[in-house]
Amino acid sequence: MDDNDSFFGLSREQLIYAITVPLSTSIILANLVIILGIAWNRQLHNTPNYFFLSLLVADMCTGVALPFIPLMGLNRELSFSSCLVAHIFPNFLFLAFLFNLVMVHYERYICIVTPLHYNNLWMHRSFPLALLVVWVPPLLYACLPAFGWNNWTGPDWNGCCCAGSQNLTLLSNCSTNGTTCCSYRRVFPNAFIYLEVYGLVLPAILTIAAMTGRVLWITRGQLKDICRLHRSVDRGSQASYQEQRLNLRYTRCVVAVSLTFLACWVPYLIYMHVCVAVLLSDTKRNSTAHIVLSCTGIGSMAVVPLVLGLANKQYTEPAYKLLQKLRDRWRKTQASEEVAV
């Protein structure tokens, strides 16, 4: 059996579901825990947390659509309308997640860079407008293929279905009839893909990285000022215990940000450029390696809001208290059973 068509006896669709369903379930449950934590604590009912709540909703929707995003790389037997929905809806959720992520980073960036003007931001004065900015443009752009920017009526698409061996044809789940063959090439023109990758996705990721780096640079400058004040008060030339703790905390922060970027963004960047390379070479991208790369790349990017949320104890405090109550109740039950015995 061809390695490109199966992995430990699994077809392409089964391999995608085997990788994405556990990851999707974990993302959805983790987002629900953080969302309930924000909803439970009334002190968190403010504009910054509303932005983060919108990001969590978008991330949860991305988790729901996660199994269907790698499926867009496979040729399937679908009608025109079903094919459009199968490609447009996951793409919209992904772009909405990315726009929400940029908005959350921008809001926190402004809070640190210009704290005196923080409350006068347009995002705080008109929160509904900010929500429209992060949800409506992704929807409009994702729907462009439905408005006519597609290749559905292009050249003969008989070759879009797999024409290999009989076993390969069965595993591809694709009809040889060009009128029912659903492929991402029929829905998304090359110009659409290039514009999304290099006009929306990559600039958004670079913007997030630039804002994060700027915040770390400002934090480093403030830390030096604090250490300088400590030394002027103590009148000593050596670093005090408090300075060492501050430097250690800053080092941990830098390491955590770097590891998060490497673990969450680098796999997706690799997947994105591999997709563009495959598109330029005009080769099939149904191999097992590409499926694994797409699942892990998109899944790792969806973990970014969870890292931001789970790192905040205020968001996870209700879930932690609930687990404590369940653990105490279980211990009391075990103790009563032991006494009875």
Side-chain angles (χ1 to χ4, degrees):
M1 187 174 292
D2 193 352
D3 178 67
N4 289 336
D5 300 313
S6 64
F7 188 74
F8 294 114
L10 298 177
S11 66
R12 296 190 184 104
E13 292 84 353
Q14 292 173 340
L15 178 60
I16 291 174
Y17 290 134
I19 298 175
T20 57
V21 169
L23 185 59
S24 175
T25 304
S26 302
I27 292 173
I28 294 172
L29 293 178
N31 276 289
L32 286 176
V33 169
I34 302 174
I35 290 173
L36 293 177
I38 296 176
W40 188 271
N41 191 349
R42 293 186 177 181
Q43 295 179 351
L44 300 177
H45 294 182
N46 49 49
T47 303
N49 287 312
Y50 290 155
F51 281 116
F52 192 69
L53 191 63
S54 177
L55 172 61
L56 293 175
V57 172
D59 189 37
M60 185 170 61
C61 293
T62 304
V64 174
L66 183 60
F68 304 100
I69 297 178
L71 286 176
M72 292 192 298
L74 303 182
N75 298 331
R76 291 172 290 171
E77 186 178 355
L78 296 174
S79 63
F80 173 70
S81 58
S82 299
C83 186
L84 286 179
V85 172
H87 287 78
I88 290 175
F89 189 65
N91 193 38
F92 156 65
L93 294 178
F94 164 73
L95 291 177
F97 161 76
L98 193 62
F99 274 54
N100 276 274
L101 191 60
V102 172
M103 180 65 76
V104 168
H105 278 81
Y106 175 72
E107 192 268 341
R108 297 185 178 185
Y109 170 78
I110 295 298
C111 176
I112 295 175
V113 175
T114 57
L116 297 179
H117 303 283
Y118 175 69
N119 292 326
N120 295 326
L121 288 176
W122 66 272
M123 299 179 297
H124 292 178
R125 295 196 306 266
S126 55
F127 176 71
L129 178 61
L131 284 183
L132 291 178
V133 168
V134 296
W135 286 96
V136 174
L139 177 61
L140 294 177
Y141 184 82
C143 290
L144 287 179
F147 297 148
W149 195 11
N150 56 62
N151 287 331
W152 196 267
T153 58
D156 188 12
W157 287 98
N158 289 331
C160 81
C161 295
C162 304
S165 62
Q166 181 179 2
N167 192 23
L168 181 63
T169 304
L170 292 175
L171 288 173
S172 66
N173 190 25
C174 183
S175 172
T176 57
N177 186 354
T179 59
T180 59
C181 179
C182 178
S183 171
Y184 76 96
R185 294 180 182 273
R186 303 192 69 177
V187 179
F188 301 132
N190 291 351
F192 180 92
I193 297 176
Y194 294 148
L195 180 59
E196 179 172 332
V197 171
Y198 296 110
L200 296 177
V201 178
L202 189 58
I205 296 175
L206 294 179
T207 301
I208 293 173
M211 289 189 292
T212 304
R214 176 62 176 165
V215 168
L216 291 176
W217 181 263
I218 294 175
T219 305
R220 181 60 180 172
Q222 293 176 349
L223 181 60
K224 289 182 179 179
D225 294 338
I226 294 173
C227 293
R228 191 179 301 111
L229 289 175
H230 271 289
R231 292 183 182 181
S232 64
V233 172
D234 296 337
R235 295 182 180 180
S237 58
Q238 295 182 352
S240 63
Y241 175 69
Q242 289 81 1
E243 293 180 37
Q244 293 177 357
R245 290 189 61 183
L246 289 175
N247 288 322
L248 180 60
R249 182 174 296 181
Y250 177 78
T251 303
R252 290 177 177 175
C253 180
V254 173
V255 171
V257 171
S258 301
L259 291 178
T260 301
F261 183 83
L262 291 175
C264 298
W265 287 114
V266 172
Y268 178 75
L269 290 173
I270 295 174
Y271 157 72
M272 183 175 63
H273 286 88
V274 167
C275 289
V276 173
V278 171
L279 189 65
L280 290 174
S281 61
D282 198 22
T283 57
K284 295 178 181 179
R285 60 174 190 170
N286 294 344
S287 65
T288 299
H290 187 275
I291 290 175
V292 174
L293 183 61
S294 64
C295 296
T296 55
I298 299 170
S300 63
M301 186 193 61
V303 176
V304 174
L306 302 182
V307 175
L308 299 175
L310 295 177
N312 192 330
K313 293 183 180 180
Q314 289 182 313
Y315 295 159
T316 58
E317 185 178 2
Y320 179 74
K321 290 182 178 179
L322 179 61
L323 290 177
Q324 274 190 330
K325 290 181 180 180
L326 294 176
R327 184 183 62 183
D328 294 340
R329 182 175 298 180
W330 180 78
R331 287 180 177 178
K332 290 181 181 179
T333 303
Q334 293 294 324
S336 60
E337 291 179 355
E338 290 179 357
V339 172
V341 172

mmCIF file of all heavy atoms in Angstrom, residues 260-299:
data_model
loop_
_atom_site.group_PDB
_atom_site.id
_atom_site.type_symbol
_atom_site.label_atom_id
_atom_site.label_comp_id
_atom_site.label_asym_id
_atom_site.label_seq_id
_atom_site.Cartn_x
_atom_site.Cartn_y
_atom_site.Cartn_z
ATOM 1 N N THR A 260 6.533 29.799 23.281
ATOM 2 C CA THR A 260 5.182 29.848 22.725
ATOM 3 C C THR A 260 5.206 30.137 21.237
ATOM 4 O O THR A 260 4.469 29.518 20.451
ATOM 5 C CB THR A 260 4.351 30.918 23.458
ATOM 6 O OG1 THR A 260 4.309 30.604 24.859
ATOM 7 C CG2 THR A 260 2.938 30.971 22.908
ATOM 8 N N PHE A 261 6.057 31.081 20.838
ATOM 9 C CA PHE A 261 6.163 31.408 19.416
ATOM 10 C C PHE A 261 6.697 30.219 18.630
ATOM 11 O O PHE A 261 6.179 29.889 17.550
ATOM 12 C CB PHE A 261 7.072 32.616 19.226
ATOM 13 C CG PHE A 261 7.177 33.072 17.797
ATOM 14 C CD1 PHE A 261 6.215 33.896 17.243
ATOM 15 C CD2 PHE A 261 8.229 32.664 17.001
ATOM 16 C CE1 PHE A 261 6.299 34.305 15.925
ATOM 17 C CE2 PHE A 261 8.331 33.072 15.679
ATOM 18 C CZ PHE A 261 7.365 33.899 15.137
ATOM 19 N N LEU A 262 7.727 29.562 19.166
ATOM 20 C CA LEU A 262 8.314 28.422 18.450
ATOM 21 C C LEU A 262 7.333 27.259 18.356
ATOM 22 O O LEU A 262 7.250 26.581 17.325
ATOM 23 C CB LEU A 262 9.598 27.970 19.148
ATOM 24 C CG LEU A 262 10.787 28.932 19.078
ATOM 25 C CD1 LEU A 262 11.944 28.401 19.928
ATOM 26 C CD2 LEU A 262 11.242 29.122 17.640
ATOM 27 N N ALA A 263 6.583 27.019 19.430
ATOM 28 C CA ALA A 263 5.698 25.859 19.454
ATOM 29 C C ALA A 263 4.389 26.100 18.730
ATOM 30 O O ALA A 263 3.810 25.162 18.158
ATOM 31 C CB ALA A 263 5.415 25.453 20.908
ATOM 32 N N CYS A 264 3.904 27.353 18.731
ATOM 33 C CA CYS A 264 2.574 27.635 18.182
ATOM 34 C C CYS A 264 2.607 28.255 16.793
ATOM 35 O O CYS A 264 1.741 27.951 15.966
ATOM 36 C CB CYS A 264 1.802 28.551 19.138
ATOM 37 S SG CYS A 264 1.503 27.842 20.770
ATOM 38 N N TRP A 265 3.579 29.118 16.524
ATOM 39 C CA TRP A 265 3.579 29.841 15.258
ATOM 40 C C TRP A 265 4.488 29.220 14.211
ATOM 41 O O TRP A 265 4.146 29.229 13.035
ATOM 42 C CB TRP A 265 3.984 31.298 15.480
ATOM 43 C CG TRP A 265 2.925 32.116 16.141
ATOM 44 C CD1 TRP A 265 2.976 32.683 17.387
ATOM 45 C CD2 TRP A 265 1.644 32.472 15.621
ATOM 46 N NE1 TRP A 265 1.820 33.351 17.664
ATOM 47 C CE2 TRP A 265 0.983 33.252 16.587
ATOM 48 C CE3 TRP A 265 0.994 32.207 14.419
ATOM 49 C CZ2 TRP A 265 -0.302 33.753 16.396
ATOM 50 C CZ3 TRP A 265 -0.282 32.711 14.220
ATOM 51 C CH2 TRP A 265 -0.917 33.469 15.197
ATOM 52 N N VAL A 266 5.637 28.718 14.618
ATOM 53 C CA VAL A 266 6.585 28.173 13.633
ATOM 54 C C VAL A 266 5.979 27.007 12.855
ATOM 55 O O VAL A 266 6.118 26.947 11.620
ATOM 56 C CB VAL A 266 7.902 27.772 14.315
ATOM 57 C CG1 VAL A 266 8.809 27.020 13.355
ATOM 58 C CG2 VAL A 266 8.622 29.022 14.837
ATOM 59 N N PRO A 267 5.306 26.026 13.505
ATOM 60 C CA PRO A 267 4.689 24.949 12.695
ATOM 61 C C PRO A 267 3.687 25.467 11.672
ATOM 62 O O PRO A 267 3.633 24.951 10.546
ATOM 63 C CB PRO A 267 4.000 24.066 13.753
ATOM 64 C CG PRO A 267 4.758 24.320 15.000
ATOM 65 C CD PRO A 267 5.149 25.756 14.943
ATOM 66 N N TYR A 268 2.908 26.482 12.044
ATOM 67 C CA TYR A 268 1.951 27.003 11.077
ATOM 68 C C TYR A 268 2.647 27.754 9.955
ATOM 69 O O TYR A 268 2.225 27.664 8.793
ATOM 70 C CB TYR A 268 0.943 27.925 11.763
ATOM 71 C CG TYR A 268 -0.037 28.513 10.783
ATOM 72 C CD1 TYR A 268 -1.069 27.739 10.257
ATOM 73 C CD2 TYR A 268 0.099 29.827 10.335
ATOM 74 C CE1 TYR A 268 -1.946 28.256 9.334
ATOM 75 C CE2 TYR A 268 -0.787 30.353 9.406
ATOM 76 C CZ TYR A 268 -1.804 29.565 8.906
ATOM 77 O OH TYR A 268 -2.669 30.074 7.983
ATOM 78 N N LEU A 269 3.689 28.507 10.260
ATOM 79 C CA LEU A 269 4.433 29.202 9.214
ATOM 80 C C LEU A 269 5.049 28.210 8.228
ATOM 81 O O LEU A 269 5.043 28.437 7.010
ATOM 82 C CB LEU A 269 5.519 30.078 9.840
ATOM 83 C CG LEU A 269 5.020 31.317 10.609
ATOM 84 C CD1 LEU A 269 6.184 31.999 11.317
ATOM 85 C CD2 LEU A 269 4.322 32.284 9.671
ATOM 86 N N ILE A 270 5.565 27.102 8.754
ATOM 87 C CA ILE A 270 6.118 26.072 7.872
ATOM 88 C C ILE A 270 5.022 25.484 6.994
ATOM 89 O O ILE A 270 5.186 25.326 5.773
ATOM 90 C CB ILE A 270 6.801 24.971 8.709
ATOM 91 C CG1 ILE A 270 8.021 25.551 9.440
ATOM 92 C CG2 ILE A 270 7.214 23.799 7.825
ATOM 93 C CD1 ILE A 270 8.667 24.566 10.398
ATOM 94 N N TYR A 271 3.879 25.167 7.598
ATOM 95 C CA TYR A 271 2.759 24.617 6.834
ATOM 96 C C TYR A 271 2.289 25.594 5.761
ATOM 97 O O TYR A 271 2.010 25.197 4.625
ATOM 98 C CB TYR A 271 1.614 24.284 7.790
ATOM 99 C CG TYR A 271 0.255 24.236 7.144
ATOM 100 C CD1 TYR A 271 -0.098 23.200 6.291
ATOM 101 C CD2 TYR A 271 -0.676 25.246 7.381
ATOM 102 C CE1 TYR A 271 -1.347 23.161 5.685
ATOM 103 C CE2 TYR A 271 -1.918 25.211 6.783
ATOM 104 C CZ TYR A 271 -2.254 24.169 5.941
ATOM 105 O OH TYR A 271 -3.488 24.138 5.348
ATOM 106 N N MET A 272 2.224 26.879 6.104
ATOM 107 C CA MET A 272 1.731 27.873 5.156
ATOM 108 C C MET A 272 2.647 27.984 3.942
ATOM 109 O O MET A 272 2.187 28.021 2.797
ATOM 110 C CB MET A 272 1.617 29.234 5.860
ATOM 111 C CG MET A 272 1.044 30.349 5.005
ATOM 112 S SD MET A 272 0.802 31.877 5.952
ATOM 113 C CE MET A 272 2.514 32.225 6.384
ATOM 114 N N HIS A 273 3.956 28.015 4.162
ATOM 115 C CA HIS A 273 4.882 28.140 3.043
ATOM 116 C C HIS A 273 4.987 26.838 2.247
ATOM 117 O O HIS A 273 5.249 26.867 1.038
ATOM 118 C CB HIS A 273 6.256 28.575 3.549
ATOM 119 C CG HIS A 273 6.302 30.017 3.958
ATOM 120 N ND1 HIS A 273 5.977 30.423 5.232
ATOM 121 C CD2 HIS A 273 6.609 31.147 3.250
ATOM 122 C CE1 HIS A 273 6.100 31.747 5.298
ATOM 123 N NE2 HIS A 273 6.470 32.207 4.119
ATOM 124 N N VAL A 274 4.797 25.707 2.912
ATOM 125 C CA VAL A 274 4.761 24.442 2.172
ATOM 126 C C VAL A 274 3.557 24.431 1.233
ATOM 127 O O VAL A 274 3.655 23.987 0.080
ATOM 128 C CB VAL A 274 4.718 23.251 3.148
ATOM 129 C CG1 VAL A 274 4.360 21.965 2.415
ATOM 130 C CG2 VAL A 274 6.063 23.088 3.838
ATOM 131 N N CYS A 275 2.408 24.942 1.703
ATOM 132 C CA CYS A 275 1.220 25.013 0.850
ATOM 133 C C CYS A 275 1.473 25.898 -0.370
ATOM 134 O O CYS A 275 1.081 25.558 -1.489
ATOM 135 C CB CYS A 275 0.036 25.556 1.647
ATOM 136 S SG CYS A 275 -0.612 24.422 2.892
ATOM 137 N N VAL A 276 2.131 27.039 -0.155
ATOM 138 C CA VAL A 276 2.422 27.930 -1.275
ATOM 139 C C VAL A 276 3.401 27.268 -2.240
ATOM 140 O O VAL A 276 3.259 27.372 -3.463
ATOM 141 C CB VAL A 276 2.985 29.269 -0.753
ATOM 142 C CG1 VAL A 276 3.445 30.150 -1.900
ATOM 143 C CG2 VAL A 276 1.922 29.989 0.066
ATOM 144 N N ALA A 277 4.402 26.551 -1.701
ATOM 145 C CA ALA A 277 5.365 25.870 -2.558
ATOM 146 C C ALA A 277 4.689 24.785 -3.391
ATOM 147 O O ALA A 277 4.981 24.617 -4.586
ATOM 148 C CB ALA A 277 6.487 25.272 -1.713
ATOM 149 N N VAL A 278 3.769 24.052 -2.765
ATOM 150 C CA VAL A 278 3.030 23.019 -3.495
ATOM 151 C C VAL A 278 2.156 23.644 -4.564
ATOM 152 O O VAL A 278 2.021 23.129 -5.683
ATOM 153 C CB VAL A 278 2.185 22.181 -2.518
ATOM 154 C CG1 VAL A 278 1.239 21.256 -3.267
ATOM 155 C CG2 VAL A 278 3.087 21.371 -1.597
ATOM 156 N N LEU A 279 1.567 24.798 -4.238
ATOM 157 C CA LEU A 279 0.723 25.486 -5.204
ATOM 158 C C LEU A 279 1.537 25.970 -6.400
ATOM 159 O O LEU A 279 1.103 25.881 -7.557
ATOM 160 C CB LEU A 279 0.022 26.663 -4.533
ATOM 161 C CG LEU A 279 -1.070 27.375 -5.338
ATOM 162 C CD1 LEU A 279 -2.234 26.422 -5.587
ATOM 163 C CD2 LEU A 279 -1.552 28.611 -4.598
ATOM 164 N N LEU A 280 2.745 26.476 -6.130
ATOM 165 C CA LEU A 280 3.591 26.950 -7.225
ATOM 166 C C LEU A 280 4.084 25.804 -8.097
ATOM 167 O O LEU A 280 4.191 25.945 -9.316
ATOM 168 C CB LEU A 280 4.788 27.723 -6.655
ATOM 169 C CG LEU A 280 4.484 29.084 -6.024
ATOM 170 C CD1 LEU A 280 5.734 29.658 -5.379
ATOM 171 C CD2 LEU A 280 3.927 30.051 -7.061
ATOM 172 N N SER A 281 4.383 24.669 -7.480
ATOM 173 C CA SER A 281 4.873 23.522 -8.242
ATOM 174 C C SER A 281 3.759 22.767 -8.942
ATOM 175 O O SER A 281 4.029 21.878 -9.756
ATOM 176 C CB SER A 281 5.640 22.567 -7.323
ATOM 177 O OG SER A 281 4.792 22.081 -6.289
ATOM 178 N N ASP A 282 2.491 23.102 -8.578
ATOM 179 C CA ASP A 282 1.325 22.473 -9.216
ATOM 180 C C ASP A 282 1.338 20.963 -9.055
ATOM 181 O O ASP A 282 1.088 20.207 -9.979
ATOM 182 C CB ASP A 282 1.259 22.841 -10.695
ATOM 183 C CG ASP A 282 -0.130 22.576 -11.273
ATOM 184 O OD1 ASP A 282 -1.086 22.532 -10.480
ATOM 185 O OD2 ASP A 282 -0.244 22.406 -12.498
ATOM 186 N N THR A 283 1.653 20.518 -7.829
ATOM 187 C CA THR A 283 1.663 19.092 -7.521
ATOM 188 C C THR A 283 0.555 18.781 -6.532
ATOM 189 O O THR A 283 0.035 19.658 -5.855
ATOM 190 C CB THR A 283 3.013 18.662 -6.927
ATOM 191 O OG1 THR A 283 3.273 19.454 -5.755
ATOM 192 C CG2 THR A 283 4.124 18.850 -7.935
ATOM 193 N N LYS A 284 0.222 17.508 -6.417
ATOM 194 C CA LYS A 284 -0.809 17.090 -5.477
ATOM 195 C C LYS A 284 -0.264 17.193 -4.062
ATOM 196 O O LYS A 284 0.897 16.909 -3.790
ATOM 197 C CB LYS A 284 -1.245 15.639 -5.759
ATOM 198 C CG LYS A 284 -1.918 15.483 -7.116
ATOM 199 C CD LYS A 284 -2.273 14.027 -7.354
ATOM 200 C CE LYS A 284 -2.929 13.841 -8.724
ATOM 201 N NZ LYS A 284 -3.273 12.442 -8.992
ATOM 202 N N ARG A 285 -1.145 17.578 -3.139
ATOM 203 C CA ARG A 285 -0.719 17.748 -1.751
ATOM 204 C C ARG A 285 -1.497 16.825 -0.824
ATOM 205 O O ARG A 285 -1.835 17.194 0.294
ATOM 206 C CB ARG A 285 -0.894 19.202 -1.303
ATOM 207 C CG ARG A 285 -2.300 19.732 -1.365
ATOM 208 C CD ARG A 285 -2.351 21.119 -0.754
ATOM 209 N NE ARG A 285 -3.716 21.574 -0.581
ATOM 210 C CZ ARG A 285 -4.047 22.666 0.096
ATOM 211 N NH1 ARG A 285 -3.104 23.391 0.650
ATOM 212 N NH2 ARG A 285 -5.302 23.027 0.206
ATOM 213 N N ASN A 286 -1.795 15.629 -1.276
ATOM 214 C CA ASN A 286 -2.556 14.685 -0.471
ATOM 215 C C ASN A 286 -1.668 13.698 0.270
ATOM 216 O O ASN A 286 -2.139 12.674 0.724
ATOM 217 C CB ASN A 286 -3.540 13.906 -1.358
ATOM 218 C CG ASN A 286 -4.611 14.809 -1.949
ATOM 219 O OD1 ASN A 286 -4.807 15.913 -1.487
ATOM 220 N ND2 ASN A 286 -5.275 14.325 -2.967
ATOM 221 N N SER A 287 -0.359 13.951 0.349
ATOM 222 C CA SER A 287 0.534 13.006 0.989
ATOM 223 C C SER A 287 0.294 12.977 2.486
ATOM 224 O O SER A 287 -0.251 13.909 3.083
ATOM 225 C CB SER A 287 1.991 13.372 0.696
ATOM 226 O OG SER A 287 2.299 14.618 1.274
ATOM 227 N N THR A 288 0.753 11.889 3.115
ATOM 228 C CA THR A 288 0.602 11.748 4.562
ATOM 229 C C THR A 288 1.361 12.828 5.301
ATOM 230 O O THR A 288 0.868 13.395 6.282
ATOM 231 C CB THR A 288 1.105 10.357 4.991
ATOM 232 O OG1 THR A 288 0.322 9.356 4.333
ATOM 233 C CG2 THR A 288 0.990 10.182 6.489
ATOM 234 N N ALA A 289 2.569 13.153 4.833
ATOM 235 C CA ALA A 289 3.372 14.182 5.501
ATOM 236 C C ALA A 289 2.666 15.532 5.482
ATOM 237 O O ALA A 289 2.674 16.264 6.477
ATOM 238 C CB ALA A 289 4.745 14.280 4.831
ATOM 239 N N HIS A 290 2.045 15.868 4.358
ATOM 240 C CA HIS A 290 1.358 17.152 4.277
ATOM 241 C C HIS A 290 0.117 17.175 5.156
ATOM 242 O O HIS A 290 -0.219 18.208 5.762
ATOM 243 C CB HIS A 290 0.968 17.457 2.832
ATOM 244 C CG HIS A 290 0.406 18.828 2.646
ATOM 245 N ND1 HIS A 290 -0.928 19.108 2.848
ATOM 246 C CD2 HIS A 290 1.005 19.997 2.313
ATOM 247 C CE1 HIS A 290 -1.137 20.389 2.622
ATOM 248 N NE2 HIS A 290 0.011 20.951 2.294
ATOM 249 N N ILE A 291 -0.583 16.061 5.266
ATOM 250 C CA ILE A 291 -1.759 15.994 6.126
ATOM 251 C C ILE A 291 -1.365 16.187 7.580
ATOM 252 O O ILE A 291 -1.987 16.967 8.322
ATOM 253 C CB ILE A 291 -2.490 14.654 5.924
ATOM 254 C CG1 ILE A 291 -3.153 14.618 4.546
ATOM 255 C CG2 ILE A 291 -3.528 14.432 7.017
ATOM 256 C CD1 ILE A 291 -3.801 13.292 4.219
ATOM 257 N N VAL A 292 -0.305 15.500 8.020
ATOM 258 C CA VAL A 292 0.161 15.637 9.402
ATOM 259 C C VAL A 292 0.618 17.065 9.661
ATOM 260 O O VAL A 292 0.330 17.656 10.708
ATOM 261 C CB VAL A 292 1.285 14.633 9.692
ATOM 262 C CG1 VAL A 292 1.882 14.862 11.075
ATOM 263 C CG2 VAL A 292 0.766 13.200 9.576
ATOM 264 N N LEU A 293 1.332 17.654 8.700
ATOM 265 C CA LEU A 293 1.817 19.021 8.854
ATOM 266 C C LEU A 293 0.665 20.011 8.931
ATOM 267 O O LEU A 293 0.687 20.956 9.747
ATOM 268 C CB LEU A 293 2.741 19.378 7.692
ATOM 269 C CG LEU A 293 3.393 20.769 7.733
ATOM 270 C CD1 LEU A 293 4.260 20.905 8.971
ATOM 271 C CD2 LEU A 293 4.215 21.009 6.473
ATOM 272 N N SER A 294 -0.363 19.832 8.115
ATOM 273 C CA SER A 294 -1.510 20.750 8.144
ATOM 274 C C SER A 294 -2.275 20.642 9.454
ATOM 275 O O SER A 294 -2.674 21.661 10.035
ATOM 276 C CB SER A 294 -2.436 20.456 6.961
ATOM 277 O OG SER A 294 -2.991 19.158 7.055
ATOM 278 N N CYS A 295 -2.475 19.425 9.941
ATOM 279 C CA CYS A 295 -3.217 19.236 11.195
ATOM 280 C C CYS A 295 -2.470 19.844 12.376
ATOM 281 O O CYS A 295 -3.050 20.562 13.197
ATOM 282 C CB CYS A 295 -3.480 17.760 11.440
ATOM 283 S SG CYS A 295 -4.551 16.968 10.212
ATOM 284 N N THR A 296 -1.175 19.565 12.473
ATOM 285 C CA THR A 296 -0.386 20.083 13.592
ATOM 286 C C THR A 296 -0.161 21.582 13.474
ATOM 287 O O THR A 296 -0.161 22.299 14.484
ATOM 288 C CB THR A 296 0.962 19.361 13.660
ATOM 289 O OG1 THR A 296 1.631 19.469 12.381
ATOM 290 C CG2 THR A 296 0.771 17.896 13.993
ATOM 291 N N GLY A 297 0.029 22.082 12.240
ATOM 292 C CA GLY A 297 0.265 23.511 12.066
ATOM 293 C C GLY A 297 -0.932 24.352 12.463
ATOM 294 O O GLY A 297 -0.811 25.316 13.227
ATOM 295 N N ILE A 298 -2.109 23.993 11.978
ATOM 296 C CA ILE A 298 -3.316 24.752 12.304
ATOM 297 C C ILE A 298 -3.693 24.555 13.768
ATOM 298 O O ILE A 298 -4.105 25.500 14.454
ATOM 299 C CB ILE A 298 -4.463 24.327 11.382
ATOM 300 C CG1 ILE A 298 -4.103 24.612 9.921
ATOM 301 C CG2 ILE A 298 -5.754 25.048 11.743
ATOM 302 C CD1 ILE A 298 -5.060 24.017 8.931
ATOM 303 N N GLY A 299 -3.533 23.329 14.266
ATOM 304 C CA GLY A 299 -3.858 23.069 15.671
ATOM 305 C C GLY A 299 -2.957 23.821 16.625
ATOM 306 O O GLY A 299 -3.415 24.335 17.655
#
